[in-house]
Amino acid sequence: MSFDFIKKLPTPDEIRSQFAVPSDLVRLKEEKDKEIRDVITGKSNKFLVIIGPCSADNEDAVCDYVTRLAKVNEKVKDKLILIPRIYTNKPRTTGEGYKGIVHQPDPEQKPDFLAGLIAMRKMHIRAIAESGLTAADEMLYPENWGYVSDILSYVAIGARSVEDQQHRIVVSGFGIPAGMKNPTSGNLTVMLNSVYASQHSHSFIYRGWEVKTNGNELAHTVLRGATNKHGGNLPNYHYEDLNLLLNLYNERDLKNPASIIDTNHSNSNKEFKQQVRIVKEVMHSRKLNADIHKLVKGVMVESYIEEGCQKVGGGVYGKSITDPCLGWKDTEQLIYDIAEYE
């Protein structure tokens, strides 16, 4: 085998025990989970705004951002539920580049997974404690779910992972909403099949155990645009796209039909400022059609303190070192604008 076994890492139980969530934050998370669950199931008409940095690379900057978000949340909480993006694993198309805080707690140093797991736990717990908001993260590595299962209120399954059987069946054991993105090809049937698989029970091997899940009725779709065979980006957030997804849902026996619109990635052609326009178009489409209004439960927005992006080591506080993001001023105004639509 061409594996170099470096060191055995603590189990999720060991990490959770060593860096436990305080009891008051456990209760807070239960409350937030219920609020978000009620949106997905249709019991609540509030709108989800999953928003934050492309990758959570720096604890101080991330917690600063989330604390700012909490202040805005107080002004819009009767209409919106703000869910901070605290993404601790970053998928890389070619396998090269910064892969997130779990890999590199210091982006300028070599990978250190033990330090990364600890840094991830500390950042998430600090963010909840300082903001009163519970976060979303991407499940890039299904075996790592146990390290964050007690701190997340939302999980995204990325475009490159959604066709993978392990991701689908692990999601079937979650007790929180999981957004299944359309694959990079844009095939909506693949995405809906992933939702179907995640909503049903499965038996499989997980971290050395034979396990059985009950199915996750909160699994739903996320539209993030597509890439054609020539490498060009194709959006799928327009009214016609939303109506098509609605029709596809109506053809299937899926529980809690719901969709979140990712306003960046292929939908924006990674032109981060276009996210503002895209959000407003989505909100307008919801106004035009009551069924689309019921289906589209929220948006995803990439945002940080400073707009744009920089290279690793660029030294600008609160500026993305991966994909470019909206800056704070535009972010705050966008959230208020979304609330005005509701």
Side-chain angles (χ1 to χ4, degrees), residues 4-293:
D4 185 4
F5 288 83
I6 298 168
K7 60 183 174 184
K8 188 172 178 61
L9 294 170
T11 67
D13 284 344
E14 290 168 338
I15 288 287
R16 288 202 308 268
S17 175
Q18 188 177 359
F19 301 94
V21 179
S23 58
D24 60 325
L25 300 187
V26 171
R27 290 190 295 272
L28 173 66
K29 181 184 178 303
E30 290 172 352
E31 294 169 2
K32 290 294 183 182
D33 286 355
K34 183 181 184 306
E35 288 182 20
I36 298 166
R37 184 187 310 116
D38 285 350
V39 174
I40 300 297
T41 60
K43 293 180 181 178
S44 168
N45 290 323
K46 289 185 179 182
F47 192 71
L48 303 179
V49 181
I50 303 164
I51 190 165
C54 175
S55 59
D57 61 287
N58 177 283
E59 179 182 317
D60 288 338
V62 168
C63 289
D64 180 351
Y65 175 91
V66 175
T67 301
R68 297 181 189 201
L69 207 60
K71 294 176 182 177
V72 177
N73 186 67
E74 284 300 308
K75 300 177 183 179
V76 299
K77 64 182 180 181
D78 58 328
K79 296 180 178 180
L80 310 180
I81 297 176
L82 305 187
I83 306 173
R85 285 174 51 110
I86 301 182
Y87 278 32
T88 55
N89 294 284
K90 173 66 179 172
R92 309 305 308 198
T93 303
T94 64
E96 296 182 339
Y98 175 68
K99 297 183 178 69
I101 201 168
V102 171
H103 282 254
Q104 292 169 273
D106 183 339
E108 298 183 60
Q109 300 297 322
K110 293 181 179 179
D112 185 335
F113 288 93
L114 176 56
L117 289 170
I118 293 169
M120 177 268 298
R121 288 284 299 183
K122 290 176 65 179
M123 177 170 59
H124 268 293
I125 294 170
R126 176 182 167 188
I128 299 171
E130 293 184 0
S131 71
L133 302 176
T134 53
D137 201 346
E138 179 173 352
M139 188 183 72
L140 191 56
Y141 307 105
E143 285 212 346
N144 289 354
W145 165 243
Y147 292 110
V148 291
S149 59
D150 59 335
I151 50 180
L152 297 180
S153 285
Y154 186 95
V155 170
I157 305 301
R160 300 166 189 82
S161 303
V162 75
E163 297 187 68
D164 176 61
Q165 178 161 300
Q166 188 182 22
H167 282 81
R168 294 174 169 190
I169 61 180
V170 171
V171 167
S172 73
F174 289 5
I176 60 172
M180 318 298 287
K181 293 193 175 186
N182 64 261
T184 52
S185 68
N187 190 313
L188 301 186
T189 298
V190 168
M191 174 181 64
L192 289 160
N193 286 344
S194 187
V195 172
Y196 182 92
S198 300
Q199 289 191 353
H200 288 76
S201 173
H202 298 280
S203 298
F204 54 100
I205 298 171
Y206 186 72
R207 295 191 65 94
W209 285 82
E210 179 182 342
V211 300
K212 183 177 181 180
T213 60
N214 294 324
N216 182 0
E217 296 182 359
L218 304 177
H220 58 276
T221 59
V222 178
L223 297 180
R224 50 86 71 197
T227 305
N228 65 23
K229 65 181 181 180
H230 303 294
N233 288 320
L234 303 172
N236 60 9
Y237 61 85
H238 296 305
Y239 181 90
E240 294 78 10
D241 300 300
L242 303 181
N243 203 48
L244 172 60
L245 179 59
L246 177 65
N247 291 335
L248 292 172
Y249 255 117
N250 289 338
E251 293 171 1
R252 290 162 170 79
D253 182 22
L254 293 170
K255 298 172 182 176
N256 302 315
S259 189
I260 306 292
I261 312 305
D262 180 346
T263 64
N264 212 9
H265 300 102
S266 293
N267 268 334
S268 69
N269 198 27
K270 292 195 175 181
E271 296 177 17
F272 67 95
K273 287 198 172 184
Q274 292 297 316
Q275 294 181 102
V276 174
R277 178 189 59 78
I278 293 167
V279 166
K280 292 180 179 180
E281 180 174 331
V282 170
M283 302 306 290
H284 182 63
S285 294
R286 293 177 80 238
K287 277 199 165 186
L288 292 176
N289 186 318
D291 291 330
I292 288 176
H293 189 281

